[in-house]
Amino acid sequence: MLSIDALLARARAGLRRLPPAEALAAASRGDAFIVDTRPEFQRRSGGEVPGAIVIERNHLEWRLDPRCDARIPEATSAHIRWIVLCDEGYSSSLAASALRQIGLANATDVIGGFQAWIADGLRVIRPAVLTRPRGPGEPGTDTRLTAAERACG
Protein backbone atom coordinates (compact mmCIF):
# COMPACT_ATOMS: atom_id res chain seq x y z
CA MET A 1 0.00 0.00 0.00
CA LEU A 2 1.35 3.43 -0.99
CA SER A 3 1.18 6.50 1.21
CA ILE A 4 -0.13 9.67 -0.44
CA ASP A 5 3.43 11.04 -0.43
CA ALA A 6 4.68 7.98 -2.31
CA LEU A 7 1.74 8.14 -4.74
CA LEU A 8 2.44 11.83 -5.38
CA ALA A 9 6.14 11.15 -5.94
CA ARG A 10 5.29 8.36 -8.39
CA ALA A 11 2.85 10.62 -10.26
CA ARG A 12 5.36 13.44 -10.51
CA ALA A 13 8.15 11.14 -11.70
CA GLY A 14 6.31 10.76 -15.00
CA LEU A 15 5.63 14.46 -15.53
CA ARG A 16 7.63 17.35 -16.91
CA ARG A 17 6.01 19.89 -14.59
CA LEU A 18 5.93 23.55 -15.60
CA PRO A 19 6.62 26.71 -13.64
CA PRO A 20 3.69 29.16 -13.93
CA ALA A 21 5.40 31.46 -16.47
CA GLU A 22 6.22 28.50 -18.73
CA ALA A 23 2.61 27.28 -18.53
CA LEU A 24 1.41 30.76 -19.49
CA ALA A 25 3.86 30.90 -22.40
CA ALA A 26 2.70 27.50 -23.71
CA ALA A 27 -0.97 28.54 -23.54
CA SER A 28 -0.14 31.88 -25.16
CA ARG A 29 1.55 30.17 -28.11
CA GLY A 30 -1.60 28.14 -28.64
CA ASP A 31 0.03 24.72 -28.29
CA ALA A 32 -1.47 23.97 -24.89
CA PHE A 33 -4.51 24.55 -22.71
CA ILE A 34 -4.47 25.44 -19.03
CA VAL A 35 -7.19 23.51 -17.22
CA ASP A 36 -8.24 24.93 -13.85
CA THR A 37 -9.62 22.20 -11.59
CA ARG A 38 -9.99 24.36 -8.48
CA PRO A 39 -13.42 24.31 -6.86
CA GLU A 40 -15.65 27.37 -7.08
CA PHE A 41 -14.85 28.61 -3.57
CA GLN A 42 -11.12 28.79 -4.40
CA ARG A 43 -11.73 30.57 -7.69
CA ARG A 44 -14.11 32.99 -5.96
CA SER A 45 -11.56 33.71 -3.24
CA GLY A 46 -8.39 33.89 -5.33
CA GLY A 47 -9.57 34.78 -8.81
CA GLU A 48 -9.30 33.04 -12.15
CA VAL A 49 -6.52 32.51 -14.66
CA PRO A 50 -7.43 34.30 -17.90
CA GLY A 51 -8.10 31.83 -20.69
CA ALA A 52 -8.10 28.74 -18.49
CA ILE A 53 -10.68 26.05 -19.16
CA VAL A 54 -12.56 25.33 -15.93
CA ILE A 55 -13.30 21.64 -15.42
CA GLU A 56 -14.18 20.13 -12.08
CA ARG A 57 -11.69 17.47 -11.01
CA ASN A 58 -14.31 14.73 -10.88
CA HIS A 59 -15.10 15.29 -14.60
CA LEU A 60 -11.56 15.87 -15.88
CA GLU A 61 -10.80 12.56 -17.63
CA TRP A 62 -14.22 12.46 -19.31
CA ARG A 63 -13.95 16.03 -20.62
CA LEU A 64 -10.42 15.68 -22.01
CA ASP A 65 -10.43 12.16 -23.47
CA PRO A 66 -10.96 12.60 -27.23
CA ARG A 67 -12.61 9.14 -27.38
CA CYS A 68 -15.28 10.03 -24.84
CA ASP A 69 -18.76 11.27 -25.69
CA ALA A 70 -18.57 13.64 -22.69
CA ARG A 71 -15.48 15.46 -24.01
CA ILE A 72 -15.21 19.20 -24.61
CA PRO A 73 -14.71 20.43 -28.21
CA GLU A 74 -11.00 21.17 -27.65
CA ALA A 75 -10.34 17.49 -26.84
CA THR A 76 -9.66 16.50 -30.43
CA SER A 77 -6.47 14.48 -30.03
CA ALA A 78 -4.47 12.47 -27.53
CA HIS A 79 -1.52 14.71 -28.42
CA ILE A 80 -2.92 17.92 -26.93
CA ARG A 81 -0.85 19.41 -24.14
CA TRP A 82 -3.16 19.78 -21.15
CA ILE A 83 -1.65 21.78 -18.27
CA VAL A 84 -3.61 21.11 -15.08
CA LEU A 85 -3.80 23.79 -12.41
CA CYS A 86 -5.01 23.32 -8.84
CA ASP A 87 -4.47 25.56 -5.83
CA GLU A 88 -1.02 24.41 -4.69
CA GLY A 89 0.17 21.85 -7.25
CA TYR A 90 -0.65 18.63 -5.45
CA SER A 91 -3.96 17.38 -6.81
CA SER A 92 -2.97 18.67 -10.25
CA SER A 93 0.00 16.28 -10.29
CA LEU A 94 -2.29 13.36 -9.52
CA ALA A 95 -4.78 14.58 -12.15
CA ALA A 96 -2.11 14.99 -14.83
CA SER A 97 -0.82 11.50 -14.05
CA ALA A 98 -4.34 10.11 -14.44
CA LEU A 99 -4.66 11.86 -17.81
CA ARG A 100 -1.40 10.26 -18.93
CA GLN A 101 -2.73 6.85 -17.86
CA ILE A 102 -5.66 7.22 -20.27
CA GLY A 103 -3.30 8.05 -23.13
CA LEU A 104 -2.96 11.82 -22.94
CA ALA A 105 0.83 11.63 -22.91
CA ASN A 106 1.45 15.38 -22.99
CA ALA A 107 -0.54 16.15 -19.85
CA THR A 108 1.32 17.91 -17.06
CA ASP A 109 0.70 20.42 -14.29
CA VAL A 110 1.84 23.73 -12.84
CA ILE A 111 4.49 23.60 -10.14
CA GLY A 112 3.02 25.26 -7.05
CA GLY A 113 -0.39 25.67 -8.67
CA PHE A 114 -2.42 28.84 -8.45
CA GLN A 115 -0.54 30.00 -5.37
CA ALA A 116 2.72 30.00 -7.35
CA TRP A 117 0.92 31.76 -10.24
CA ILE A 118 0.00 34.57 -7.83
CA ALA A 119 3.45 34.63 -6.21
CA ASP A 120 5.03 35.02 -9.66
CA GLY A 121 2.84 38.08 -10.30
CA LEU A 122 1.00 36.56 -13.25
CA ARG A 123 -2.34 38.03 -14.25
CA VAL A 124 -5.50 36.95 -12.46
CA ILE A 125 -9.03 38.13 -13.19
CA ARG A 126 -11.95 38.50 -10.81
CA PRO A 127 -15.06 38.29 -12.98
CA ALA A 128 -18.39 39.36 -11.52
CA VAL A 129 -19.69 35.94 -12.52
CA LEU A 130 -17.29 33.02 -12.18
CA THR A 131 -16.55 30.87 -15.19
CA ARG A 132 -18.85 27.87 -15.13
CA PRO A 133 -17.19 24.46 -15.37
CA ARG A 134 -17.42 23.03 -18.87
CA GLY A 135 -19.91 20.29 -19.59
CA PRO A 136 -19.93 17.64 -22.34
CA GLY A 137 -19.64 19.18 -25.79
CA GLU A 138 -19.91 22.73 -24.47
CA PRO A 139 -17.83 25.22 -26.38
CA GLY A 140 -15.86 27.58 -24.23
CA THR A 141 -15.46 31.27 -24.18
CA ASP A 142 -12.02 32.79 -23.85
CA THR A 143 -10.25 29.41 -23.79
CA ARG A 144 -7.23 30.96 -25.48
CA LEU A 145 -5.48 34.06 -24.23
CA THR A 146 -6.11 37.20 -26.25
CA ALA A 147 -3.21 39.25 -27.55
CA ALA A 148 -3.82 41.79 -24.77
CA GLU A 149 -3.76 39.08 -22.11
CA ARG A 150 -0.54 37.65 -23.54
CA ALA A 151 1.04 41.11 -23.42
CA CYS A 152 -0.01 41.60 -19.79
CA GLY A 153 1.51 38.25 -18.79
Side-chain angles (χ1 to χ4, degrees):
M1 176 184 281
L2 288 177
S3 69
I4 186 58
D5 291 332
L7 180 63
L8 184 61
R10 181 182 285 179
R12 287 180 172 168
L15 301 174
R16 185 188 164 288
R17 302 180 73 217
L18 302 176
E22 195 173 327
L24 175 61
S28 297
R29 285 190 306 270
D31 63 358
F33 292 97
I34 295 174
V35 180
D36 190 343
T37 61
R38 292 176 301 137
E40 180 180 334
F41 79 90
Q42 288 179 332
R43 291 183 293 110
R44 183 175 310 287
S45 171
E48 295 187 351
V49 171
I53 297 172
V54 176
I55 300 176
E56 293 181 354
R57 174 61 191 100
N58 59 328
H59 295 145
L60 188 67
E61 291 86 347
W62 288 268
R63 299 296 181 262
L64 301 185
D65 185 343
R67 301 160 297 189
C68 182
D69 290 341
R71 70 186 174 276
I72 60 173
E74 294 86 350
T76 58
S77 164
H79 303 293
I80 292 173
R81 190 173 188 196
W82 300 108
I83 304 170
V84 184
L85 176 83
C86 70
D87 195 52
E88 295 182 342
Y90 295 98
S91 68
S92 59
S93 294
L94 298 173
S97 178
L99 291 174
R100 292 171 72 90
Q101 289 175 29
I102 64 166
L104 305 179
N106 295 318
T108 191
D109 74 323
V110 176
I111 299 168
F114 183 77
Q115 295 305 315
W117 188 280
I118 294 287
D120 285 359
L122 298 178
R123 186 162 178 262
V124 171
I125 57 174
R126 295 183 180 275
V129 177
L130 291 179
T131 304
R132 194 172 68 78
R134 299 278 294 281
E138 290 181 348
T141 57
D142 301 323
T143 59
R144 297 281 185 177
L145 299 175
T146 66
E149 288 166 340
R150 286 191 296 272
C152 292

